[in-house]
Protein backbone atom coordinates (compact mmCIF):
# COMPACT_ATOMS: atom_id res chain seq x y z
CA UNK A 1 0.00 0.00 0.00
CA UNK A 2 1.18 3.49 -0.83
CA UNK A 3 0.57 6.88 0.76
CA UNK A 4 -0.45 9.95 -1.24
CA UNK A 5 3.18 11.04 -1.36
CA UNK A 6 4.32 7.66 -2.65
CA UNK A 7 1.48 7.48 -5.18
CA UNK A 8 2.51 10.91 -6.44
CA UNK A 9 6.11 9.81 -6.85
CA UNK A 10 5.12 6.58 -8.64
CA UNK A 11 2.72 8.31 -11.05
CA UNK A 12 4.55 11.57 -11.59
CA UNK A 13 1.52 13.50 -10.38
CA UNK A 14 1.59 16.10 -7.64
CA UNK A 15 0.24 15.17 -4.23
CA UNK A 16 -2.46 17.78 -4.80
CA UNK A 17 -3.49 16.10 -8.07
CA UNK A 18 -3.61 12.68 -6.39
CA UNK A 19 -5.91 14.04 -3.67
CA UNK A 20 -8.01 15.97 -6.19
CA UNK A 21 -8.53 12.95 -8.45
CA UNK A 22 -9.39 10.83 -5.44
CA UNK A 23 -11.89 13.39 -4.15
CA UNK A 24 -13.51 13.57 -7.61
CA UNK A 25 -14.14 9.82 -7.54
CA UNK A 26 -11.62 9.04 -10.27
CA UNK A 27 -9.80 6.37 -8.22
CA UNK A 28 -12.54 3.89 -7.34
CA UNK A 29 -10.21 1.42 -5.63
CA UNK A 30 -8.60 3.88 -3.21
CA UNK A 31 -8.79 2.72 0.38
CA UNK A 32 -8.61 4.48 3.72
CA UNK A 33 -6.71 3.34 6.81
CA UNK A 34 -8.01 3.51 10.38
CA UNK A 35 -7.06 7.22 10.49
CA UNK A 36 -9.00 7.89 7.27
CA UNK A 37 -5.76 8.42 5.31
CA UNK A 38 -5.85 7.49 1.64
CA UNK A 39 -3.96 4.34 0.77
CA UNK A 40 -3.21 3.23 -2.79
CA UNK A 41 -2.70 -0.32 -3.96
CA UNK A 42 -1.48 -1.28 -7.44
CA UNK A 43 -5.00 -1.05 -8.87
CA UNK A 44 -5.35 2.47 -7.47
CA UNK A 45 -2.00 3.41 -9.00
CA UNK A 46 -3.26 2.09 -12.35
CA UNK A 47 -6.41 4.24 -12.07
CA UNK A 48 -4.24 7.28 -11.34
CA UNK A 49 -2.04 6.53 -14.35
CA UNK A 50 -5.15 6.13 -16.53
CA UNK A 51 -6.56 9.44 -15.29
CA UNK A 52 -3.21 11.12 -15.90
CA UNK A 53 -3.16 9.84 -19.48
CA UNK A 54 -6.70 11.02 -20.21
CA UNK A 55 -6.10 14.40 -18.55
CA UNK A 56 -2.91 14.91 -20.56
CA UNK A 57 -4.94 14.30 -23.71
CA UNK A 58 -7.09 17.27 -22.75
CA UNK A 59 -10.11 15.32 -21.54
CA UNK A 60 -12.18 17.25 -18.99
CA UNK A 61 -12.55 15.79 -15.48
CA UNK A 62 -16.32 15.28 -15.94
CA UNK A 63 -15.73 13.18 -19.06
CA UNK A 64 -12.98 11.21 -17.31
CA UNK A 65 -15.49 10.48 -14.53
CA UNK A 66 -17.99 9.21 -17.10
CA UNK A 67 -15.28 7.05 -18.66
CA UNK A 68 -14.34 5.57 -15.27
CA UNK A 69 -17.98 4.88 -14.44
CA UNK A 70 -18.31 3.07 -17.77
CA UNK A 71 -15.14 1.07 -17.07
CA UNK A 72 -16.65 -0.05 -13.76
CA UNK A 73 -19.67 -1.40 -15.67
CA UNK A 74 -17.35 -3.86 -17.41
CA UNK A 75 -17.15 -5.10 -20.98
CA UNK A 76 -20.79 -4.23 -21.70
CA UNK A 77 -19.75 -0.56 -21.76
CA UNK A 78 -17.02 -0.96 -24.40
CA UNK A 79 -19.20 0.56 -27.18
CA UNK A 80 -19.94 3.62 -25.01
CA UNK A 81 -16.27 3.98 -24.06
CA UNK A 82 -15.29 3.71 -27.71
CA UNK A 83 -17.78 6.44 -28.62
CA UNK A 84 -16.52 8.67 -25.81
CA UNK A 85 -12.90 8.26 -26.92
CA UNK A 86 -13.81 8.86 -30.57
CA UNK A 87 -15.64 12.08 -29.64
CA UNK A 88 -12.67 13.23 -27.60
CA UNK A 89 -10.32 12.38 -30.47
CA UNK A 90 -12.42 14.46 -32.87
CA UNK A 91 -12.45 17.40 -30.44
CA UNK A 92 -8.66 17.11 -30.17
CA UNK A 93 -8.38 17.06 -33.97
CA UNK A 94 -10.41 20.30 -34.18
CA UNK A 95 -8.13 21.92 -31.57
CA UNK A 96 -5.07 20.73 -33.51
CA UNK A 97 -6.38 22.26 -36.73
CA UNK A 98 -7.03 25.52 -34.89
CA UNK A 99 -3.51 25.44 -33.43
CA UNK A 100 -2.11 24.85 -36.91
CA UNK A 101 -3.97 27.95 -38.18
CA UNK A 102 -2.51 29.93 -35.27
CA UNK A 103 1.00 28.70 -36.11
CA UNK A 104 0.54 29.62 -39.79
CA UNK A 105 -0.59 33.12 -38.77
CA UNK A 106 2.38 33.48 -36.42
CA UNK A 107 4.72 32.30 -39.20
CA UNK A 108 3.40 35.15 -41.36
CA UNK A 109 3.88 37.59 -38.49
CA UNK A 110 7.45 36.47 -37.84
CA UNK A 111 8.25 36.81 -41.54
CA UNK A 112 6.78 40.31 -41.45
CA UNK A 113 8.83 41.22 -38.39
CA UNK A 114 11.95 39.85 -40.07
CA UNK A 115 11.23 42.05 -43.09
CA UNK A 116 10.71 45.06 -40.80
CA UNK A 117 13.96 44.36 -38.94
CA UNK A 118 15.79 44.09 -42.26
CA UNK A 119 14.18 47.37 -43.45
CA UNK A 120 12.42 45.62 -46.36
CA UNK A 121 8.98 46.60 -45.10
CA UNK A 122 7.46 49.43 -43.05
CA UNK A 123 6.17 48.61 -39.55
CA UNK A 124 2.55 47.59 -40.09
CA UNK A 125 2.34 45.74 -36.77
CA UNK A 126 1.42 48.68 -34.53
CA UNK A 127 -2.39 49.09 -34.29
CA UNK A 128 -1.84 52.75 -33.41
CA UNK A 129 -0.69 53.35 -36.98
CA UNK A 130 -3.31 51.33 -38.81
CA UNK A 131 -5.56 54.22 -39.86
CA UNK A 132 -2.72 55.31 -42.18
CA UNK A 133 -1.93 51.84 -43.54
CA UNK A 134 -5.18 49.82 -43.59
CA UNK A 135 -4.59 48.93 -47.23
CA UNK A 136 -1.38 47.14 -46.17
CA UNK A 137 -2.81 45.06 -43.35
CA UNK A 138 -4.76 42.24 -45.00
CA UNK A 139 -5.09 39.98 -41.94
CA UNK A 140 -7.14 42.48 -39.93
CA UNK A 141 -10.82 42.90 -40.59
CA UNK A 142 -11.97 46.49 -40.41
CA UNK A 143 -15.53 47.31 -39.55
CA UNK A 144 -16.90 50.59 -40.94
CA UNK A 145 -18.42 51.34 -37.52
CA UNK A 146 -14.99 51.26 -35.88
CA UNK A 147 -13.07 53.26 -38.42
CA UNK A 148 -12.40 56.90 -37.62
CA UNK A 149 -14.61 59.46 -39.36
Amino acid sequence: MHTVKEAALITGLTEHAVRFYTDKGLVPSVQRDKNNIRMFDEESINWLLGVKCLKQSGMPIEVIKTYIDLCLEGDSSIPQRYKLIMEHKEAARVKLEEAQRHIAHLEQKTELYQAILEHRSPDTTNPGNWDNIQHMHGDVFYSPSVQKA
Side-chain angles (χ1 to χ4, degrees), residues 7 10 14 16 21 26 34 37 40 50 54 57 62 87 100 110 115 125 133 140 145:
I10 292 167
T14 64
H16 174 76
Y21 294 157
L26 305 180
K34 63 182 187 295
I37 295 180
F40 299 84
L54 293 172
S57 78
E62 304 77 35
E87 288 169 353
Q100 289 171 329
T110 55
T125 62
I133 57 170
V140 177
S145 62

Side-chain angles (χ1 to χ4, degrees), residues 59-117:
M59 186 177 283
I61 294 293
E62 304 77 35
V63 180
I64 294 172
K65 176 66 170 131
T66 299
Y67 180 83
I68 288 170
D69 291 344
L70 288 169
C71 286
L72 294 172
E73 290 179 21
D75 290 350
S76 65
S77 70
I78 290 174
Q80 294 98 319
R81 286 185 270 154
Y82 173 78
K83 182 177 184 252
L84 188 144
I85 294 295
M86 290 301 293
E87 288 169 353
H88 181 61
K89 180 176 132 184
E90 183 54 33
R93 186 182 318 278
V94 168
K95 287 180 184 175
L96 175 62
E97 290 167 0
E98 182 180 357
Q100 289 171 329
R101 286 191 301 274
H102 291 297
I103 293 292
H105 180 76
L106 291 169
E107 287 292 337
Q108 291 175 341
K109 288 294 185 190
T110 55
E111 288 173 16
L112 175 60
Y113 270 102
Q114 189 64 41
I116 294 167
L117 288 168

Side-chain angles (χ1 to χ4, degrees), residues 3-20:
T3 63
V4 168
K5 184 174 190 167
E6 292 166 340
L9 286 171
I10 292 167
T11 61
L13 294 165
T14 64
E15 291 177 42
H16 174 76
V18 170
R19 287 186 191 93
F20 179 77

